[in-house]
Amino acid sequence: MYEKDGERYFIVDGHIHFWDASPANQANKYGRGFINCFYDYQQNLSPPEFKWPLEKFEKYSEEDLLHDIFEVGYADVAIFQPTYLTDFYTNGFNTTQQCAAVAEKYPGKFIVNGAFDPRDGEAGLEALEALVSRYQLKGVKLYTAEWKGDSRGWRLDSPESYRYLDKCRELGVRNVHIHKGPTIWPLNRDAFDVSDVDDAATDFPELNFIVEHLGLPRLEDFCWIGTQEPNVYGGFSVAMPFIYTRPRYFAQIIGELCYWLDENRLLFGSDYAIWQPKWLVERFVDFQIPDDMLGEYAPLTPDVKRKILGLNAARLYDIEVPAELALDAVATTGAVIGSEPVSPA
Amino acid sequence: MTTTAQEVLGALAEVRDPELDEPLTDLGFVAGVHVEEGRVAVRLRLPTYFCAPNFAWLMVQGARSAVLALDGVQEAVVKLEDHSAATEINRGVSRGAGFAQTFAGETTGELGELSETFARKAFVARQARLCDSLLRAGQTPHEVVGLQLSDLEPGPDQARCVVLRAQLGIDASPEAPAFVSPKGRAFDASELMRWLRIARLVRLSVEGNAGLCRALLKTRYGIRDPEEVAV
């Protein structure tokens, strides 16, 4: 919970990791390249006091995690989004099991999501079922750009993927988080293209599709499918740190999102340990659309911020919100808007 | 006649990042140029280890072609550094192989369609900038849709739009309408503002992405101003 100026906010950090990217676990040069890439993000987009030495960034402790997320980070609940990357890291970068090992020690603090890879075929379907039953999963994190042997990625709208989404529907795994990365099959297409989410969201209306990082750098494509599909959400991981380095750019991003999707389908996530929720939450609560942009964008009210910082995620994951922190009348569904945004310009 | 490093940089300034629509030299992607009696070596670098290999390919290939087109250049070696697909890209481009051949099994074709998609995005983003500046200066949507290409003030966005129109097969003659849809269709005044709302989003994406790429490059290579070390 975070409190500022008499306003209280229930905080769900919708995107955290507990990874091991230490040299001992790096399987090859790609593992090193991957963590270095993350590290540059932290170094570039964090206030100085939140930058870590590389060694700590490669492998941080459980104490660090608890301290940064809950003790100083204001989170009431945090959601683990696993990222396997077993081609890059010997024991995986951040698997469901690694996350669950921590989560089980602190009941009520964490939600653990699972993962699947359609290229695993029949065996993968069985593994998914076992994973869901073992950890009572309500969500999965998918990484369509993950390498596997000679393959550099897969598409969410492929028949193989649909079998897994069918299985999710059957098992009650409702929340599908998707990360797009720079290498996805086929390589001659735009690696960040979110059109496969569009088709999957149409074909699986019972599932929620949370596009992590707001589809950046293809914000326009993401907003476009967001207007068509009521079950498409945007995860703020990676995008929110711009609040520090480029606040006007951040104002435009959130202004556009509230215009095209509305504030009921946006979820806060720190992407810890790349960034820390403490400063993101503080700065977001303090943030306002600059005066000269208010003609184009709606102001960010405390209620809008409450929804983004926690209440929207609480709705998707059935997290109990103390009555005094809930909204009286939170819109519970995003209506299909069609091709026209619902909010005024 | 001998080629100078300055001429090579001039040629590289004509090569753009297809996604950001900005010259490699402005973006700081040129890490070094070495010229020795008609033999040119160029080193390229990108903001991350995992920048999309298809765009990286287009830049390496574009750089090589631009340098080879200079008078007096007999040999050009363009080397992409610190990238996950550097080995494949450098080898493929230096042999004159195609993208699909280099990444056999990983593609469904060459990069023409991808290039066209991003040329259209660049065109939309630049038109948005031009249109907004006209509206800010007091022109009405009705006046804006009545403008011809030749009515636009000369400038970088205007010049780039003319080039992109020609590349995309959109009428680029002086009397063509100044603002058109990504496929080249003229607007009426009522359509303009709706188009502009989407076009601004494309512009935000392109500009935001370019800003992030510059910032990450700076962080990755510990440089103050990427352009300072471009020679």
Side-chain angles (χ1 to χ4, degrees):
Chain A
M1 203 270 289
Y2 180 62
E3 185 165 2
K4 179 82 187 280
D5 300 330
E7 301 282 356
R8 301 206 290 172
Y9 303 85
F10 183 78
I11 308 291
V12 179
D13 190 333
H15 197 127
I16 66 158
H17 300 282
F18 188 46
W19 66 58
D20 176 5
S22 59
N25 193 29
Q26 292 171 11
N28 46 40
K29 62 178 179 175
Y30 303 112
R32 190 174 65 246
F34 188 85
I35 194 65
N36 285 343
C37 193
F38 270 26
Y39 188 61
D40 285 349
Y41 270 85
Q42 185 198 56
Q43 295 296 300
N44 185 257
L45 292 167
S46 300
E49 63 271 34
F50 293 98
K51 294 181 186 179
W52 287 355
L54 180 61
E55 200 178 318
K56 179 178 177 183
F57 191 77
E58 287 171 339
K59 188 176 184 176
Y60 47 98
S61 69
E62 192 176 309
E63 291 70 37
D64 290 326
L65 174 86
L66 292 164
H67 177 265
D68 295 335
I69 303 285
F70 299 108
E71 287 169 33
V72 300
Y74 310 115
D76 294 278
V77 177
I79 305 175
F80 277 123
Q81 305 288 0
T83 307
Y84 281 55
L85 296 175
T86 40
D87 271 29
F88 294 177
Y89 296 94
T90 310
N91 301 317
F93 180 69
N94 172 210
T95 64
T96 306
Q97 289 81 357
Q98 286 160 349
C99 298
V102 178
E104 287 179 344
K105 287 197 230 171
Y106 307 94
K109 287 290 196 191
F110 296 100
I111 288 172
V112 177
N113 276 353
F116 67 70
D117 187 328
R119 294 167 295 188
D120 291 337
E122 207 63 48
L125 282 168
E126 284 168 28
L128 175 65
E129 199 157 349
L131 206 63
V132 172
S133 120
R134 168 72 178 80
Y135 299 112
Q136 288 85 50
L137 305 178
K138 286 181 184 160
V140 284
K141 164 79 183 299
L142 308 178
Y143 195 73
T144 55
E146 182 151 357
W147 293 15
K148 194 175 198 67
D150 291 336
S151 160
R152 305 289 175 96
W154 52 278
R155 291 179 60 88
L156 194 66
D157 59 359
S158 63
E160 298 76 26
S161 163
Y162 271 25
R163 293 182 65 207
Y164 280 74
L165 292 175
D166 255 332
K167 180 62 82 180
C168 285
R169 179 163 57 187
E170 177 193 319
L171 298 172
V173 177
R174 295 195 315 266
N175 301 314
V176 179
H177 297 249
I178 311 118
H179 173 94
K180 295 275 173 181
T183 49
I184 186 176
W185 194 90
L187 273 185
N188 56 316
R189 297 282 295 271
D190 177 11
F192 295 92
D193 181 14
V194 287
S195 63
D196 55 340
V197 183
D198 197 357
D199 289 337
T202 305
D203 292 333
F204 292 89
E206 309 89 336
L207 302 180
N208 305 310
F209 292 86
I210 302 100
V211 179
E212 293 299 342
H213 324 313
L214 309 169
L216 291 177
R218 306 284 177 261
L219 184 66
E220 73 277 30
D221 296 337
F222 168 67
C223 286
W224 189 247
I225 66 166
T227 64
Q228 328 272 333
E229 311 294 340
N231 54 337
V232 167
Y233 292 71
F236 256 105
S237 53
V238 177
M240 203 169 272
F242 292 124
I243 209 166
Y244 167 62
T245 47
R246 306 168 68 205
R248 286 184 66 83
Y249 175 57
F250 179 75
Q252 288 175 287
I253 290 179
I254 195 162
E256 293 290 348
L257 289 166
C258 288
Y259 176 85
W260 293 92
L261 274 84
D262 84 38
E263 76 273 12
N264 296 310
R265 289 192 281 148
L266 301 172
L267 273 61
F268 165 63
S270 65
D271 223 336
Y272 183 83
I274 307 183
W275 295 284
Q276 296 190 30
K278 177 180 167 60
W279 70 268
L280 291 169
V281 168
E282 288 172 356
R283 285 173 191 257
F284 182 64
V285 166
D286 288 344
F287 187 78
Q288 194 46 269
I289 304 282
D291 285 346
D292 63 309
M293 294 186 188
L294 281 173
E296 193 163 3
Y297 303 128
L300 298 174
T301 63
D303 279 355
V304 168
K305 292 173 183 173
R306 265 189 273 275
K307 290 177 181 181
I308 294 172
L309 285 174
L311 299 182
N312 290 338
R315 193 173 76 235
L316 293 188
Y317 281 89
D318 298 324
I319 299 167
E320 198 180 326
V321 179
E324 69 274 18
L325 296 177
L327 291 190
D328 290 337
V330 181
T332 50
T333 55
V336 182
I337 299 167
S339 57
E340 289 293 343
V342 75
S343 355
Chain B
M1 171 183 171
T2 48
T3 311
T4 64
Q6 218 49 45
E7 286 168 325
V8 172
L9 281 173
L12 294 174
E14 298 300 316
V15 184
R16 286 167 186 266
D17 179 315
E19 191 179 9
L20 309 177
D21 195 38
E22 293 187 41
L24 302 190
T25 46
D26 286 359
L27 289 163
F29 290 176
V30 180
V33 168
H34 185 77
V35 183
E36 206 175 298
E37 294 179 8
R39 289 198 299 275
V40 178
V42 175
R43 294 186 296 121
L44 296 184
R45 62 183 174 196
L46 295 173
T48 77
Y49 185 69
F50 286 106
C51 284
N54 42 27
F55 292 124
W57 172 280
L58 289 168
M59 287 186 265
V60 172
Q61 191 184 47
R64 182 166 183 265
S65 305
V67 173
L68 279 175
L70 287 170
D71 277 344
V73 172
Q74 287 105 46
E75 188 187 307
V77 176
V78 180
K79 200 174 154 209
L80 175 64
E81 299 179 332
D82 306 337
H83 188 274
S84 56
T87 308
E88 296 92 322
I89 291 172
N90 292 338
R91 195 168 46 213
V93 170
S94 71
R95 290 176 180 174
F99 182 78
Q101 184 188 346
T102 302
F103 290 97
E106 288 304 314
T107 76
T108 54
E110 292 295 330
L111 300 175
E113 197 184 325
L114 183 80
S115 298
E116 190 183 316
T117 300
F118 281 84
R120 268 186 222 284
K121 282 181 191 275
F123 178 54
V124 170
R126 287 184 185 271
Q127 284 202 124
R129 222 154 34 217
L130 289 167
C131 186
D132 266 327
S133 86
L134 291 168
L135 293 171
R136 262 198 313 275
Q139 299 226 31
T140 66
H142 189 77
E143 287 165 337
V144 169
V145 294
L147 294 175
Q148 298 182 346
L149 209 44
S150 56
D151 295 327
L152 295 177
E153 291 279 327
D157 284 328
Q158 170 268 347
R160 186 69 188 142
C161 275
V162 173
V163 172
L164 286 167
R165 287 171 85 121
Q167 187 185 328
L168 291 165
I170 296 171
D171 187 358
S173 56
E175 61 278 3
F179 294 95
V180 293
S181 78
K183 298 275 185 195
R185 191 176 59 80
F187 299 121
D188 62 39
S190 64
E191 291 170 310
L192 184 76
M193 296 313 286
R194 177 169 153 65
W195 163 79
L196 184 59
R197 185 86 220 195
I198 298 165
R200 280 176 184 151
L201 197 52
V202 178
R203 174 189 169 184
L204 178 66
S205 245
V206 175
E207 289 179 356
N209 196 13
L212 182 63
C213 289
R214 282 196 160 88
L216 286 174
L217 188 87
K218 244 169 81 178
T219 297
R220 188 177 190 200
Y221 289 100
I223 43 178
R224 288 160 63 94
D225 177 359
E227 292 178 57
E228 279 179 6
V229 291
V231 180

